[in-house]
Amino acid sequence: MLQFRFSSVLKELFYTGFPRSLGSVRNSRSCPGVARGLGVRCARRALCTKSEPIQADHVAGEKESRADKRRKAGVLPSLEDLLFYTIAEGQEKIPAHKFVTALKATGLRTGDPRLKECMEMLKVTLKSTSDGVMLDRHLFKKCVQSNIVLLTQAFRKKFVIPDFQSFASHVDELYESAKKLSGGQVADYIPQLAKFSPDLWGVALCTVDGQRHTVGDTKVPFCLQSCVKPLKYAVAVHDHGTEYVHRFIGKEPSGLRFNKLFLNEDGEEPQTFVSICQTSFIHIFNAEKFDYVMNFLNKMAGNEYVGFSNATFQSERESGDRNFAIGYYLKEKKCFPEGTDMTSILDFYFQLCSIEVTCESASVMAATLANGGFCPITGERVLSPEAVRNTLSLMHSCGMYDFSGQFAFHVGLPAKSGVSGGILLVVPNVMGVMCWSPPLDKLGNSVRGIQFCTDLVSLFNFHNYDNLRHFAKKLDPRREGGDQRQYSFGPMDYESLQQELALKEALWKKVSPTESHEDSSTTVVYRMENVLDHH
């Protein structure tokens, strides 16, 4: 006997997809029969598509009229209704906190700018209800309809990481493993950096669909330091193009210390991210330069926290003799655009290194790079594709100081480290990550951060050169089920499919031997329900 539960059938219909133009369900009591009948009917249509070709142009008007009839008849549920029944699991009302909990399980946050209208309407609606916490179908629909497309994608698991809770639990395990490390020293050559506790440790990630996860000290502000260099390089290329920027700076990693006084044979600074030259490409008034870059960074961070530490700026300025030496050496070799004021450029350089972020806001910046220049949580284009591509290329080759080659080999992802303990990591087309822990190794990289990045790629097939079809002993969070591979149909699978087709065809004929299967009458639906229950 085939047994169908109301909630499970609705979930199946919801996850397999419905046209957006579906109308409302008449009443909750008719839904079980409607769902069952529609499930079989939709399956039959989908499976018979190849054997019954249709001329699209010829029947377009007819299909539209049928859809209109269905909406007027109120037989087919809307996406809002399907979403409600999926969360309610057979109940007529749902607590507001249950919806919020289900939403967070997808990776979305209630503070996501894209869900602003939904959350505001939810607050207003709850204040107007008698019990203040329960939502029926109509109130729920009122709350979600303004953001139904995004919510449908989330609950149908159409985001880049479908099983986000499972993925987040793996990330937590990697975090705890790295937390046990106790090596490294907090940077002290900049006095303000030496004040941070070596026990601080946080990881935040943001996917290209705006799914968020944080663990540890992710709300503590810290300075970007060298992590700002790929960001200001991206701004320079976005504004001036690749050709102009690389007249003054090279593309090859030097293999030397980041503060080495050295130029290549073409008179270029070889390792782009340590070049003070980058700060000279913003051709606006000195008073406006800082605000100009801050505006870019705010957009990249989705308007989350981006601040400034004046104490760190003054500290860098007072202890920056080496940087002044490098600056004047570059000026002597004419590495700056004509008319550059050396002193103001160095001040600007120190200012940018003193910009503050949190792990959470910086992860959105990294996700903007992973998303081709579009901020995932606002949808706004911030950087050009050219700027993003070039930035990620250089991060991959020379973003981790003298550990860049090792990192590219073992981790295989674009990244940039800073002496404040941050590592800005990008998994292209998937997500951005910010790891932060002040203790550094001998090469100036965060000890815990390096361990976390290495473990992340050991567990998941995120390495640039991992094969996505033939990977071994690695999880793929981009597929539902994580490590489930997609197999082709074998002879037995095909035979089972044919048997199921025959069963559905027999059921349909038994229900309605004379009526058209395009008929939207509830009578046919209820008769289908009876047959399914009987079998």
Side-chain angles (χ1 to χ4, degrees), residues 199-497:
D199 297 326
L200 291 168
W201 169 224
V203 174
L205 64 89
C206 176
T207 73
V208 294
D209 289 315
Q211 296 165 284
R212 310 287 296 276
H213 182 65
T214 62
V215 54
D217 304 304
T218 58
K219 295 183 182 297
V220 180
F222 62 93
C223 290
L224 280 170
Q225 291 296 323
S226 290
C227 289
V228 80
K229 292 172 182 176
L231 306 180
K232 64 184 179 182
Y233 169 81
V235 173
V237 174
H238 176 83
D239 284 347
H240 302 291
T242 304
E243 183 179 352
Y244 176 78
V245 170
H246 285 283
R247 288 179 191 173
F248 306 96
I249 57 178
K251 307 179 187 70
E252 293 294 330
S254 67
L256 303 172
R257 291 288 295 171
F258 71 95
N259 57 359
K260 181 77 172 177
L261 277 167
F262 171 77
L263 295 176
N264 65 19
E265 59 185 16
D266 296 321
E268 297 174 328
E269 174 65 37
Q271 198 175 59
T272 306
F273 289 147
V274 298
S275 176
I276 298 171
C277 292
Q278 292 175 4
T279 56
S280 65
F281 296 134
I282 301 173
H283 297 164
I284 56 177
F285 296 112
N286 288 336
E288 298 175 3
K289 284 184 177 181
F290 181 75
D291 287 342
Y292 183 78
V293 174
M294 283 288 282
N295 182 53
F296 261 98
L297 298 186
N298 271 301
K299 288 180 179 179
M300 289 185 71
N303 298 314
E304 295 192 359
Y305 179 78
V306 179
F308 176 71
S309 172
N310 186 60
T312 304
F313 165 62
Q314 296 295 339
S315 185
E316 289 232 32
R317 203 178 188 189
E318 292 168 3
S319 59
D321 293 338
R322 183 79 175 183
N323 285 319
F324 276 100
I326 294 173
Y328 281 110
Y329 178 58
L330 294 174
K331 182 179 180 181
E332 179 201 359
K333 299 297 182 181
K334 306 204 181 317
C335 294
F336 293 111
E338 189 175 349
T340 297
D341 182 349
M342 182 61 237
T343 305
S344 65
I345 286 298
L346 276 170
D347 276 350
F348 187 35
Y349 172 81
F350 295 140
Q351 282 180 321
L352 295 184
C353 289
S354 304
I355 290 175
E356 283 188 336
V357 294
T358 64
C359 283
E360 295 190 16
S361 60
S363 70
V364 182
M365 293 178 177
T368 299
L369 293 176
N371 199 33
F374 284 92
C375 178
I377 64 173
T378 64
E380 181 181 4
R381 175 175 284 288
V382 184
L383 298 167
S384 66
E386 176 189 16
V388 172
R389 182 198 63 202
N390 292 351
T391 301
L392 296 182
S393 297
L394 288 170
M395 287 173 71
H396 184 81
S397 66
C398 52
M400 300 296 291
Y401 300 126
D402 296 345
F403 192 67
S404 296
Q406 292 271 14
F407 194 88
F409 183 85
H410 292 289
V411 179
L413 292 171
K416 184 69 190 86
S417 60
V419 293
S420 58
I423 295 181
L424 194 76
L425 181 75
V426 178
V427 185
N429 305 307
V430 180
M431 66 179 183
V433 182
M434 173 55 90
C435 313
W436 177 60
S437 177
L440 310 177
D441 60 22
K442 293 180 180 180
L443 297 176
N445 298 312
S446 170
V447 173
R448 294 190 184 103
I450 292 290
Q451 186 65 49
F452 177 85
C453 294
T454 304
D455 290 345
L456 183 73
V457 174
S458 297
L459 180 61
F460 300 110
N461 61 337
F462 286 153
H463 192 292
N464 261 330
Y465 305 112
D466 278 332
N467 189 285
L468 298 184
R469 292 185 62 191
H470 305 293
F471 59 90
K473 297 181 181 179
K474 282 192 178 184
L475 304 179
D476 188 354
R478 287 162 284 198
R479 289 178 178 169
E480 191 171 349
D483 58 347
Q484 298 298 316
R485 302 175 188 234
Q486 296 180 359
Y487 297 100
S488 58
F489 280 114
M492 292 302 294
D493 299 308
Y494 182 74
E495 183 179 346
S496 299
L497 184 62

Side-chain angles (χ1 to χ4, degrees), residues 73-292:
V75 175
L76 300 181
S78 65
L79 288 178
E80 291 89 345
D81 291 328
L82 285 171
L83 182 58
F84 174 81
Y85 292 127
T86 300
I87 298 172
E89 297 183 332
Q91 301 299 314
E92 293 184 1
K93 291 186 177 182
I94 59 173
H97 70 82
K98 186 173 184 179
F99 167 60
V100 173
T101 301
L103 180 67
K104 290 179 178 178
T106 68
L108 292 181
R109 288 184 170 181
T110 55
D112 192 308
R114 298 168 297 174
L115 294 174
K116 183 179 179 181
E117 293 179 4
C118 174
M119 292 299 112
E120 288 179 349
M121 183 59 70
L122 182 63
K123 290 179 183 178
V124 172
T125 302
L126 291 176
K127 287 180 181 178
S128 63
T129 57
S130 57
D131 52 22
V133 294
M134 301 299 289
L135 296 170
D136 62 20
R137 181 169 62 88
H138 298 290
L139 289 176
F140 180 83
K141 184 174 182 178
K142 183 180 178 183
C143 293
V144 303
Q145 59 188 0
S146 59
N147 300 115
I148 190 59
V149 174
L150 178 64
L151 291 171
T152 300
Q153 284 182 311
F155 283 95
R156 288 182 64 207
K157 298 187 176 182
K158 296 299 182 182
F159 284 160
V160 66
I161 299 181
D163 296 321
F164 194 74
Q165 280 188 307
S166 173
F167 175 71
S169 67
H170 285 301
V171 171
D172 290 346
E173 291 172 6
L174 299 181
Y175 168 87
E176 292 297 333
S177 177
K179 187 177 182 179
K180 298 173 184 176
L181 299 178
S182 58
Q185 297 292 325
V186 178
D188 57 5
Y189 71 95
I190 300 173
Q192 284 299 314
L193 298 183
K195 296 181 179 180
F196 282 97
S197 167
D199 297 326
L200 291 168
W201 169 224
V203 174
L205 64 89
C206 176
T207 73
V208 294
D209 289 315
Q211 296 165 284
R212 310 287 296 276
H213 182 65
T214 62
V215 54
D217 304 304
T218 58
K219 295 183 182 297
V220 180
F222 62 93
C223 290
L224 280 170
Q225 291 296 323
S226 290
C227 289
V228 80
K229 292 172 182 176
L231 306 180
K232 64 184 179 182
Y233 169 81
V235 173
V237 174
H238 176 83
D239 284 347
H240 302 291
T242 304
E243 183 179 352
Y244 176 78
V245 170
H246 285 283
R247 288 179 191 173
F248 306 96
I249 57 178
K251 307 179 187 70
E252 293 294 330
S254 67
L256 303 172
R257 291 288 295 171
F258 71 95
N259 57 359
K260 181 77 172 177
L261 277 167
F262 171 77
L263 295 176
N264 65 19
E265 59 185 16
D266 296 321
E268 297 174 328
E269 174 65 37
Q271 198 175 59
T272 306
F273 289 147
V274 298
S275 176
I276 298 171
C277 292
Q278 292 175 4
T279 56
S280 65
F281 296 134
I282 301 173
H283 297 164
I284 56 177
F285 296 112
N286 288 336
E288 298 175 3
K289 284 184 177 181
F290 181 75
D291 287 342
Y292 183 78

Side-chain angles (χ1 to χ4, degrees), residues 14-89:
F14 186 67
Y15 289 133
T16 53
F18 255 102
R20 180 64 188 90
S21 61
L22 302 178
S24 302
V25 177
R26 262 185 195 163
N27 56 65
S28 59
R29 292 183 181 178
S30 66
C31 286
V34 171
R36 294 173 187 173
L38 290 174
V40 175
R41 187 185 304 173
C42 292
R44 182 180 183 280
R45 288 181 197 161
L47 292 168
C48 293
T49 301
K50 290 186 178 179
S51 59
E52 299 176 9
I54 299 174
Q55 297 294 329
D57 295 337
H58 178 68
V59 298
E62 185 181 353
K63 283 186 175 180
E64 288 179 4
S65 63
R66 288 171 184 165
D68 291 338
K69 288 179 181 178
R70 292 191 189 99
R71 284 195 295 270
K72 290 177 182 177
V75 175
L76 300 181
S78 65
L79 288 178
E80 291 89 345
D81 291 328
L82 285 171
L83 182 58
F84 174 81
Y85 292 127
T86 300
I87 298 172
E89 297 183 332

